[in-house]
Amino acid sequence: MRLGRLPARILTTWALLLGAAASAQAADIKALRIWEGPDYTRAVFDVSGPLDYKLFELSDPGRIVIDVRDGRIAEGLGAPSAKGMLKAVRIGKQGKNDARIVLDLGAEVRPKSFLLPPAEKLGYRLVVDLYPKQKPAPVKTVKQVLPGEPRPVVIAIDAGHGGEDPGALGATGSHEKNITLQVARELKRQIDREPGMSAILTRDGDYYVKREDRYRKAREARADLFISIHADACPGSCETARGSSVWVLSTRGASSEAARRLADRENRADLIGGVSLDDKEDSLAAVLLDLQQGATMDASNAVAEHVLVALRQIGPTHRRQVERANFVVLRSPDVPSILVETAFISNPAEEKRLKDSAHREKLAAAIIDGARNYFRMMPPQGTWFAANADRFRPSRHVVGRGETLAIIAERHGVTPGKLRSANKLASDSLRVGDVLDIPAG
């Protein structure tokens, strides 16, 4: 179709990407996808290469117009159904050589557009994000709703990947982004039923959330714990790798070469999911400094040990110990953060279990068991766990770095002899990761 002339009263923004205009070639517009999230609506156009385009806004009725110089529309390209702030999408020719895309709006928006280079199996993509002009009122935290009363501990659950970023591909075609969302929802369901616990999700649909926004949501909710959910894949043709694993941030280096590769892959998610890099600040050094100077990393290590022990109760874990790597998503300076690789989605047997709701219930229950035992041992001030500390005695203790039998016994109000007897220890020698049963005082 041919779209008519546009009024002269427009706000124009020129965007020339990946080189000068002379280097931009004719661009094929091959496909269009729309993703709806709670914070913005995203339109993603698959294009054949770098392009020269002009984006401008029109009112009465509100719409966004994108003119692509020397743009060609692929045969059979249709507009998807309306979603979010988009009422409709129209695609047609403008003049002899250009393509025109019109986004009909259902609300006032602030548009942002950028071109993504090829990443993984995806080619060039033109991304148009539509943000509402009126920001929604901030969600109140549990602490704000219940001032002066013991509050629940707040756990932020992060379903990895989403939207344009499918994550790892399962042996029979499952997408990691769907598995992680199912696990995250089940985890939230069970947490919200637990006394003294409440959960929030960083995403609750098929859309992408950039890495910094994931832990920022946890900080805004004043979360006491951040848990990022993933499903690993073995590179190459390996289908026998199995077991869950638990990760914490490393500020120095990864615990293995495989850990480094995994972190690199996860940290590239923004290139796949689609994030503009024109507004980034290099604040990593300051964040890591805050982490090293605070107790956040020690708390992350402690809760990770508890979760790993709980996961061992429902199946084999990939490693005996907590692993470490430089995951961007775990960089919150003041919220203890762990990343759980639930299983190897590339293993057909483990993929089958992850697709089973009963197994996901067991998986979520194990993660909660580990978190609950941690909060009973180290209750945050002002929480329900702190108010009920006298009612609970941790049933077990995971030995951490620098801990001795005497230190652990004093912490739990028992004698070293009772602790030694309850665990049938021949000596006071302990290893990091050992699990001790705690007897009554």
Side-chain angles (χ1 to χ4, degrees), residues 382-430:
T383 64
W384 181 88
F385 281 91
N388 290 274
D390 293 341
R391 292 174 49 191
F392 301 117
R393 178 177 298 281
S395 59
R396 62 176 181 261
H397 179 94
V398 184
V399 178
R401 284 180 173 78
E403 289 187 320
T404 64
L405 192 74
I407 290 173
I408 296 170
E410 182 181 0
R411 179 176 295 168
H412 294 289
V414 299
T415 66
K418 279 191 174 183
L419 196 57
R420 193 182 304 111
S421 175
N423 291 277
K424 298 181 174 58
L425 298 175
S427 70
D428 290 358
S429 178
L430 299 173

Side-chain angles (χ1 to χ4, degrees), residues 165-176:
D165 177 21
L169 185 65
T172 63
S174 300
H175 285 156
E176 182 182 3

Side-chain angles (χ1 to χ4, degrees), residues 80-158:
S81 302
K83 285 184 183 179
M85 286 172 276
L86 274 179
K87 289 174 61 178
V89 180
R90 293 175 284 145
I91 304 172
K93 293 295 294 180
Q94 168 66 12
K96 292 183 178 181
N97 302 316
D98 301 340
R100 170 164 287 177
I101 303 160
V102 179
L103 309 179
D104 292 322
L105 306 175
E108 289 190 72
V109 304
R110 291 183 296 106
K112 182 176 182 179
S113 64
F114 51 94
L115 186 72
L116 286 173
E120 300 289 335
K121 297 180 180 179
L122 298 169
Y124 286 94
R125 289 158 291 158
L126 173 62
V127 178
V128 181
D129 287 339
L130 305 176
Y131 294 89
K133 280 194 174 177
Q134 296 295 328
K135 272 200 165 185
V139 177
K140 289 186 177 180
T141 65
V142 175
K143 185 176 180 180
Q144 292 169 327
V145 174
L146 301 174
E149 298 180 22
R151 64 172 181 84
V153 294
V154 179
I155 300 177
I157 308 165
D158 173 50

